[in-house]
Amino acid sequence: MGSESTTEIMEATGRALCEYGYADLTMQRIADESSVTSAAIHYHFDTKEELLNAFLDDLLERFESRVACKARDPRERLSEFLDAVFEKPSSENDDFPVALMELKAQAPHHDLFRERFIELDDAVRDVVETAVRDGIEAGYFDEVDPETVAYVVATIINGSHVRMVALGEEPDRTREAVERTLARYIGWTPSRGVTA
Amino acid sequence: MGSESTTEIMEATGRALCEYGYADLTMQRIADESSVTSAAIHYHFDTKEELLNAFLDDLLERFESRVACKARDPRERLSEFLDAVFEKPSSENDDFPVALMELKAQAPHHDLFRERFIELDDAVRDVVETAVRDGIEAGYFDEVDPETVAYVVATIINGSHVRMVALGEEPDRTREAVERTLARYIGWTPSRGVTA
């Protein structure tokens, strides 16, 4: 199976997950969303768990390439990170945050999912921690423990995800809370205009 | 049905939810966890959704009576609130955060659940906002918008819940993050010793 098919299966998995939810997701339904046969999917992924593990891995890769920006200015890096995290899902991916929350709720029953979510969290905190450390060195930000800031920002982002799903809240509201909290910690507020 | 039976049904619902999860929860399984018959449960709750709605309502009431402390000192009130929120679940309720996360993931499909979660969030933010406002008036805390602080604290608590479920993280770590963030906003850190 070429990387083109893998990409197609991953995209089909995302669509099927949004449409049917975790409990009703089947290999057949994923096949129906793609031009790949159910047998071909089964050939590469023994179980639904393995397929979803690959899906989360793919999500991590996409996150990393999305935030792996070339900006040398740590202020710009933080702004671009917030743009990526608080991007409004497109109308066809409207249910993606819900599907992802279902997978998070499954993590206690699936070690593989938990490992992927831990990796994703590490990646998120790493982006913030590095940008904060670089910003302090460059004299842009107040002296503060970068690890603490990264942890607080990551946790508020986790909270934003729940609030979006459980309360139907717009991510913009949390973005504002993250910006105010960053201001309290590092004495600097990312401007939404930086990358616009 | 007396309030005793209602209490019993609510407790049985909690146990069954922890044991079977949302998807496999049935009236029969709840009956099996209690001395109330499945027919009696059906008589009072037409659907699983109605029963879980009552369960969430009960959760809100218990939260409110837990935090409705008489402490007049707003610092003590904040500390007691954090004690209540970051209390480690007892070993028999170990799976409760997971069950609750499943219900949150169901909120987009069930308006009643969403309404209850919004009420619960309002209650959480109200406790923090009032304590912060009173603390500012009493000169204990720095001047800051109490609504913003309450929103940030609530969102970090939401994030803590996800991290506990998805990453298996201990709530103590988030408690520390909340305390540091409070220190940044109001210039005061709740001491864990206040209520000990």
Side-chain angles (χ1 to χ4, degrees):
Chain A
M1 187 165 64
S3 70
E4 215 172 285
S5 308
T6 313
T7 306
E8 202 187 335
I9 292 177
M10 292 302 116
E11 285 173 2
T13 302
R15 283 193 297 275
L17 195 57
C18 288
E19 189 167 354
Y20 302 105
Y22 172 79
D24 296 325
L25 186 74
T26 60
M27 298 288 206
Q28 186 54 55
R29 283 181 161 160
I30 295 168
D32 291 346
E33 294 280 338
S34 73
S35 68
V36 182
T37 64
S38 163
I41 300 176
H42 270 289
Y43 179 77
H44 290 279
F45 303 101
D46 273 345
T47 61
K48 188 165 99 170
E49 185 184 33
E50 277 179 34
L51 175 60
L52 286 169
N53 182 49
F55 176 74
L56 290 174
D57 219 28
D58 184 61
L59 191 71
L60 173 64
E61 272 176 36
R62 280 186 289 134
F63 171 78
E64 285 182 328
S65 68
R66 175 85 162 81
V67 297
C69 69
K70 281 100 201 156
R72 295 204 47 204
D73 188 322
R75 296 168 297 185
E76 206 172 316
R77 256 184 283 147
L78 265 187
S79 289
E80 288 186 16
F81 164 77
L82 293 181
D83 288 342
V85 166
F86 291 107
E87 195 171 42
K88 225 178 145 57
S90 64
S91 59
E92 64 177 26
N93 278 322
D94 221 15
D95 292 328
F96 186 69
V98 182
L100 197 62
M101 189 56 65
E102 279 195 283
L103 291 185
K104 287 185 176 176
Q106 288 296 323
H109 314 298
H110 300 276
D111 288 347
L112 286 175
F113 297 178
R114 172 156 289 168
E115 285 166 21
R116 296 296 80 68
F117 282 121
I118 288 175
E119 278 180 7
L120 195 56
D121 182 62
D122 283 346
V124 163
R125 286 188 291 112
D126 192 53
V127 172
V128 179
E129 191 179 323
T130 308
V132 170
R133 181 168 289 120
D134 293 351
I136 293 169
E137 272 174 29
Y140 298 135
F141 305 152
D142 296 347
E143 283 276 353
V144 70
D145 175 34
E147 210 179 317
T148 299
V149 179
Y151 180 81
V152 169
V153 169
T155 306
I156 298 181
I157 290 168
N158 291 145
S160 176
H161 183 197
V162 188
R163 298 181 70 83
M164 206 182 347
V165 173
L167 313 179
E169 191 170 275
E170 291 292 328
D172 271 1
R173 191 161 172 204
T174 314
R175 182 179 175 136
E176 207 184 305
V178 170
E179 294 185 352
R180 284 175 191 226
T181 305
L182 274 174
R184 293 268 161 187
Y185 274 96
I186 64 176
W188 178 81
T189 306
S191 149
R192 293 184 195 204
V194 168
T195 57
Chain B
M1 189 164 63
S3 71
E4 216 174 282
S5 309
T6 314
T7 306
E8 202 187 335
I9 294 176
M10 291 303 116
E11 285 173 3
T13 302
R15 283 194 298 274
L17 195 58
C18 288
E19 189 166 355
Y20 301 106
Y22 172 79
D24 296 325
L25 185 74
T26 60
M27 298 288 205
Q28 186 54 56
R29 284 181 160 160
I30 294 168
D32 291 346
E33 294 281 338
S34 72
S35 66
V36 183
T37 64
S38 163
I41 301 176
H42 269 291
Y43 180 77
H44 290 280
F45 302 102
D46 272 346
T47 60
K48 187 164 99 170
E49 185 185 32
E50 276 178 34
L51 176 59
L52 286 170
N53 181 48
F55 176 75
L56 291 174
D57 219 28
D58 184 61
L59 191 71
L60 173 64
E61 271 176 37
R62 280 185 291 134
F63 171 77
E64 285 183 328
S65 68
R66 176 85 162 80
V67 296
C69 69
K70 281 100 200 158
R72 295 202 48 203
D73 189 321
R75 295 169 298 186
E76 206 172 314
R77 255 184 283 147
L78 265 187
S79 289
E80 288 186 17
F81 164 77
L82 294 181
D83 288 342
V85 166
F86 290 107
E87 194 170 44
K88 224 178 146 61
S90 63
S91 59
E92 63 177 26
N93 278 323
D94 222 16
D95 293 330
F96 185 69
V98 182
L100 197 63
M101 188 57 66
E102 279 195 284
L103 290 186
K104 286 184 178 176
Q106 288 296 324
H109 312 299
H110 299 276
D111 287 347
L112 285 176
F113 297 177
R114 172 156 289 168
E115 284 166 22
R116 296 295 81 69
F117 283 121
I118 288 175
E119 278 179 7
L120 196 55
D121 182 62
D122 283 345
V124 164
R125 285 188 292 111
D126 192 53
V127 172
V128 180
E129 192 179 323
T130 308
V132 170
R133 182 168 290 119
D134 293 351
I136 293 169
E137 271 174 28
Y140 298 135
F141 304 153
D142 296 346
E143 284 276 353
V144 68
D145 176 33
E147 207 180 318
T148 299
V149 179
Y151 180 82
V152 169
V153 168
T155 307
I156 298 180
I157 290 169
N158 291 144
S160 176
H161 183 197
V162 188
R163 299 180 70 84
M164 206 183 344
V165 172
L167 313 178
E169 192 169 275
E170 292 291 330
D172 272 1
R173 191 163 173 203
T174 315
R175 182 179 175 136
E176 207 185 304
V178 170
E179 293 185 352
R180 284 177 192 225
T181 305
L182 274 174
R184 292 268 162 188
Y185 273 96
I186 63 176
W188 179 81
T189 307
S191 150
R192 291 183 196 206
V194 167
T195 57

